[in-house]
Amino acid sequence: KLIARSAPDGDEQVELTKSGDLQHVRIFWSPDSHKFVLLDTQPGQDHTVHMVESSPRDQVQPRLKSHQYLKPGDKIAVTKPRLFDMQKRRELPLDDALFRNPWSIEQLRWAADSSRMTFIYNQRGHQVLRLVAIDAKTGSARTLIEETPATFVDYSNKQFAYYVENGGDILWMSERDGLNHLYRFDASGSLKNQITSGEWVVRAVDRIDEDHQQIWFRAMGMNPSEDPYHIHYCRVNFDGSGLVRLTAGDGTHEIRYSPDRSVFIDRFSRVDLPPVHELRRSDDGALICQLEQADIGRLDEMPGWRMPERFVAKGRD
């Protein structure tokens, strides 16, 4: 028995009743409503670990504490997608060879024409990150984009995928050249071009402008004379041309756009530089005027206060 309820993100929150147990799962409907995918989780085993609290605060005798903790070799919970055909009223079997050992399966997405469903497969161990496409008619799976680094995939801070509605391009973040940058693939998974490159890294993507085919993003390490951890804001075209550095000034930046995004307020600072506020143009990052600079005169007058000092040291490598 399935009871579907609308969700704010367009998916469905579903109450699945089986053998009297009520579970909450998510299903993902195809745009034509002929098929849907749900994530099915096969539970792992129980492994109870016991500990003794030798000196509880509220009693003299020790206290036994127990909790669940899986160890190497134990059976873990595994979540995989299942595809159903509403017209034929049956499940379409999926070949899971490309997503057999998942740490996570995320960002499930149907194509606008309902021909396929895609998701990002993060393999347990984090040495394979794969964008998988499932054919809605046959259930066959194929790899669109794959990351197989020699070390591991930093999936927590360096993962980004965006599907461009007009043209079907996929914007993808990767460290495949040794540094974190953006790439553009076509709908079949073929690389069209590397969008950003150089001895610096993309820190995050803030906005995708499909009308102008532009990416607004944050970067670190772009200015060799600065601390490589300083954050700057930039813009670039989908084809990799027209890179614009929107912020300047030796420090970490944080910006706030005007309602029409024509100008923005740039606030930047360092450990040894009080915050500076500037007004800049969004089209080229040109400075319009300096708005304010923080005054720490009273702090300088306090006994014992010393401004932090920046220093540089070599790493083990």
Side-chain angles (χ1 to χ4, degrees):
K1 179 181 179 182
L2 291 175
I3 306 173
R5 296 177 178 174
S6 296
D9 59 3
D11 300 327
E12 299 287 337
Q13 297 294 332
V14 175
E15 294 179 352
L16 175 61
T17 303
K18 182 178 181 181
S19 302
D21 296 328
L22 189 63
Q23 303 175 11
H24 292 275
V25 299
R26 294 183 68 191
I27 67 173
F28 302 81
W29 288 97
S30 62
D32 60 11
S33 297
H34 292 166
K35 296 181 177 67
F36 71 87
V37 171
L38 65 79
L39 289 176
D40 179 38
T41 300
Q42 298 296 322
Q45 71 181 77
D46 291 336
H47 191 136
T48 304
V49 176
H50 305 283
M51 297 184 298
V52 175
E53 184 180 3
S54 62
S55 305
R57 292 185 177 182
D58 59 345
Q59 66 184 47
V60 176
Q61 298 298 323
R63 176 182 288 120
L64 177 67
K65 292 188 173 182
S66 303
H67 65 278
Q68 293 295 320
Y69 186 83
L70 296 181
K71 294 186 175 182
D74 290 346
K75 180 183 177 182
I76 62 173
V78 175
T79 299
K80 293 183 180 180
R82 296 174 63 182
L83 176 63
F84 295 86
D85 189 320
M86 291 296 291
Q87 293 183 314
K88 297 180 180 180
R89 295 185 177 274
R90 67 182 180 89
E91 180 179 1
L92 298 178
L94 301 181
D95 180 4
D96 68 351
L98 294 177
F99 49 95
R100 187 155 292 163
N101 185 26
W103 166 262
S104 65
I105 290 180
E106 299 176 334
Q107 299 188 36
L108 278 78
R109 180 183 182 274
W110 280 96
D113 61 0
S114 302
S115 62
R116 70 179 186 181
M117 178 267 298
T118 59
F119 58 84
I120 294 179
Y121 163 74
N122 183 359
Q123 184 169 290
R124 185 167 294 275
H126 313 308
Q127 291 183 306
V128 176
L129 186 72
R130 184 179 289 142
L131 180 61
V132 179
I134 302 292
D135 187 286
K137 291 183 179 180
T138 65
S140 61
R142 61 182 296 260
T143 298
L144 295 181
I145 306 173
E146 185 176 70
E147 302 292 335
T148 56
T151 53
F152 63 91
V153 178
D154 186 355
Y155 66 95
S156 60
N157 298 312
K158 300 172 184 175
Q159 181 183 334
F160 177 81
Y162 182 89
Y163 303 84
V164 181
E165 294 295 338
N166 184 16
D169 287 345
I170 304 171
L171 307 181
W172 183 261
M173 185 180 288
S174 170
E175 290 186 294
R176 59 181 57 195
D177 73 348
L179 296 168
N180 199 48
H181 282 294
L182 297 170
Y183 296 78
R184 179 170 63 152
F185 295 82
D186 64 20
S188 67
S190 297
L191 177 65
K192 296 181 72 172
N193 62 273
Q194 183 169 349
I195 300 173
T196 62
S197 62
E199 294 296 314
W200 51 275
V201 298
V202 174
R203 187 67 179 86
V205 174
D206 294 318
R207 180 173 181 251
I208 303 295
D209 185 345
E210 293 193 24
D211 294 335
H212 297 91
Q213 294 202 324
Q214 294 177 333
I215 305 173
W216 302 66
F217 66 96
R218 280 169 275 173
M220 293 194 309
M222 295 192 78
N223 302 324
S225 61
E226 291 187 24
D227 186 319
Y229 290 98
H230 287 169
I231 294 177
H232 283 270
Y233 286 72
C234 310
R235 186 183 67 244
V236 69
N237 298 326
F238 285 2
D239 62 4
S241 65
L243 176 63
V244 176
R245 301 184 185 186
L246 299 173
T247 55
D250 187 359
T252 285
H253 295 252
E254 182 179 353
I255 66 178
R256 178 173 296 181
Y257 292 98
S258 62
D260 62 0
R261 295 185 70 89
S262 62
V263 296
F264 62 89
I265 296 175
D266 175 23
R267 174 188 180 275
F268 69 94
S269 65
R270 299 189 309 266
V271 294
D272 59 347
L273 175 69
V276 178
H277 295 78
E278 298 177 338
L279 181 64
R280 292 181 173 270
R281 287 202 302 260
S282 298
D283 57 351
D284 58 3
L287 176 66
I288 298 175
C289 67
Q290 185 178 109
L291 300 174
E292 190 62 82
Q293 181 166 2
D295 181 2
I296 61 169
R298 294 180 61 186
L299 183 60
D300 287 333
E301 297 172 356
M302 294 180 62
W305 159 254
R306 291 181 60 187
M307 177 70 75
E309 297 180 13
R310 293 189 291 167
F311 68 94
V312 177
K314 290 184 179 181
R316 289 189 300 173
D317 56 352

